[in-house]
Amino acid sequence: MKYQGKLANAYRINEGARFRLKDFDPGDTGDIASKEQAGLLLQERLVQLRDLQAKLYAQHCWAVLLIFQGMDTAGKDSVIKHVMSAVDPHGCEVYSFKEPSGEELNHDYLWRAVRRLPERRRIGIFNRSYYEEVLVVRIHPSLLKHEKIPDTLMERKIWEKRFEDICAFERHLVRNGIVIRKFFLHLSKKEQAKRFLERLNRPEKNWKLSPSDIHERKNWNQYMAAYEDMIQHTAVPSAPWFVVPADHKWFTRLVVASAIVDTLDEIHLAYPEIDIARRKDLNEIRKLLELEVGQVSS
């Protein structure tokens, strides 16, 4: 089964000035007819991803940074687990950003992200990221006090300034060979409630749920406004956002996998070419090995 066209393009935001979150349906499944069809297409994408990641590693020039943001239960862990199952673990690094440590709070908010950037030839995955600084910190501005920012720098336009800094940071990374793709897993409030109930009804998932998770639902509209503002200010062609429908996990995985494959295709990966001198060395190695094999077999 071959899917014609680039599925993820429908959800790619290259320039956010006109972006409106209300224009994207969390329950959308595009023209994918069923979960079964999506599963077949996903397997195709994973085969392509495996091949492209091997070339990325061998070429040893580019690095790829994938950023996942979304409300609780949006499926960030699930997407990472299923989509990146095709990737050689040696070429992939996943880091989940939790509440900042004391050491991290003694540095600027981008410091801890810089320490986790992927090396060349690797795919780095941020499960949440520095974007929390214009999301949860914006919804709960009291958290800014813990960052020890001088009072003279605490101005009303702090969020706009952070958008500028993030764009400059990402522009620097792109100019140095780190390809950035950002995914907002767009979940509906109703679907989140269903997933919370599922966690309650399954004892092995009870540990994932806390009272603070339910409390944050009261801020749903504020979070949606913050996400919209964030995408409007930080979506650019070189570091686009993908607003991925997240009410159906099988579709979310397909869109994310397609976006990653498309991205790796765009940078024209290939195995390194062997020059004449290197080819001569390899021929000498071949002769030695064939001679050794011949001696053993005799």
Side-chain angles (χ1 to χ4, degrees):
M1 179 183 297
K2 294 291 184 182
Y3 184 84
Q4 301 300 318
K6 293 187 175 181
L7 172 66
N9 274 358
Y11 308 101
R12 177 170 173 159
I13 312 298
N14 290 323
E15 194 277 321
R18 298 181 180 178
F19 170 74
R20 294 294 181 270
L21 192 56
K22 67 181 181 180
D23 295 333
F24 289 79
D25 178 8
D28 183 28
T29 58
D31 57 359
I32 304 301
S34 66
K35 181 177 180 179
E36 290 70 28
Q37 180 190 8
L40 293 173
L41 291 169
L42 178 60
Q43 291 308 308
E44 287 183 8
R45 293 292 181 267
L46 296 187
V47 170
Q48 294 172 316
L49 176 57
R50 186 179 297 112
D51 175 66
L52 288 165
Q53 189 257 341
K55 293 176 180 177
L56 173 74
Y57 194 87
Q59 195 177 65
H60 204 169
C61 293
W62 298 94
V64 177
L65 176 61
L66 308 175
I67 295 174
F68 291 89
Q69 294 287 158
M71 298 294 284
D72 287 332
T73 76
K76 296 181 292 298
D77 292 342
S78 175
V79 165
I80 294 169
K81 176 182 177 181
H82 285 82
V83 174
M84 304 315 292
S85 65
V87 174
D88 184 340
H90 290 94
C92 183
E93 300 168 343
V94 182
Y95 190 78
S96 296
F97 287 90
K98 306 296 185 182
E99 183 178 341
S101 67
E103 180 186 21
E104 290 168 342
L105 289 170
N106 278 326
H107 293 80
D108 68 275
Y109 67 88
L110 288 173
W111 180 79
R112 64 176 182 161
V114 172
R115 299 175 70 209
R116 303 295 177 177
L117 290 173
E119 301 173 357
R120 299 194 189 281
R121 78 171 24 168
R122 297 183 184 276
I123 298 176
I125 300 170
F126 284 0
N127 186 342
R128 301 191 188 275
S129 67
Y130 43 86
Y131 279 102
E132 293 295 293
E133 292 291 332
V134 292
L135 293 168
V136 65
V137 177
R138 186 171 187 174
I139 305 304
H140 301 286
S142 61
L143 294 174
L144 280 171
K145 296 179 181 178
H146 302 302
E147 297 185 9
K148 305 178 178 66
I149 300 172
D151 291 340
T152 54
L153 300 179
M154 295 289 289
E155 53 184 287
R156 287 194 302 174
K157 293 186 177 181
I158 187 171
W159 312 117
E160 288 82 353
K161 297 293 185 183
R162 288 195 168 187
F163 291 143
E164 292 176 6
D165 293 340
I166 288 172
C167 287
F169 173 63
E170 292 180 347
R171 186 163 56 247
H172 165 74
L173 297 182
V174 170
R175 287 175 175 174
N176 283 276
I178 299 180
V179 179
I180 302 173
R181 294 295 182 266
K182 303 173 291 193
F183 301 91
F184 168 49
L185 305 191
H186 186 24
L187 183 73
S188 68
K189 190 176 183 180
K190 182 177 180 180
E191 180 61 24
Q192 187 194 57
K194 291 181 180 178
R195 293 182 185 180
F196 277 148
L197 282 171
E198 181 184 5
R199 289 182 179 181
L200 283 171
N201 294 332
R202 296 179 61 179
E204 71 275 16
K205 289 192 173 185
N206 285 175
W207 65 274
K208 286 188 172 185
L209 191 61
S210 68
S212 62
D213 296 329
I214 305 303
H215 178 74
E216 285 298 272
R217 280 175 60 80
K218 299 176 182 178
N219 301 315
W220 185 274
N221 291 338
Q222 290 176 266
Y223 271 109
M224 294 304 104
Y227 273 112
E228 181 175 278
D229 200 31
M230 174 192 75
I231 294 170
Q232 286 174 345
H233 284 87
T234 62
V236 295
S238 60
W241 278 99
F242 290 84
V243 180
V244 185
D247 278 8
H248 301 282
K249 290 184 178 181
W250 50 268
F251 186 70
T252 307
R253 296 165 187 164
L254 177 58
V255 174
V256 171
S258 297
I260 298 171
V261 168
D262 292 347
T263 297
L264 295 177
D265 271 336
E266 289 171 12
I267 56 178
H268 307 295
L269 298 169
Y271 291 110
E273 294 185 6
I274 304 300
D275 59 24
I276 295 176
R278 179 63 173 158
R279 181 63 63 189
K280 183 178 179 180
D281 290 338
L282 293 177
N283 286 335
E284 291 299 321
I285 292 172
R286 176 186 294 276
K287 291 177 182 178
L288 291 172
L289 291 172
E290 288 177 343
L291 178 61
E292 180 180 338
V293 170
Q295 291 174 342
V296 171
S297 61
S298 62

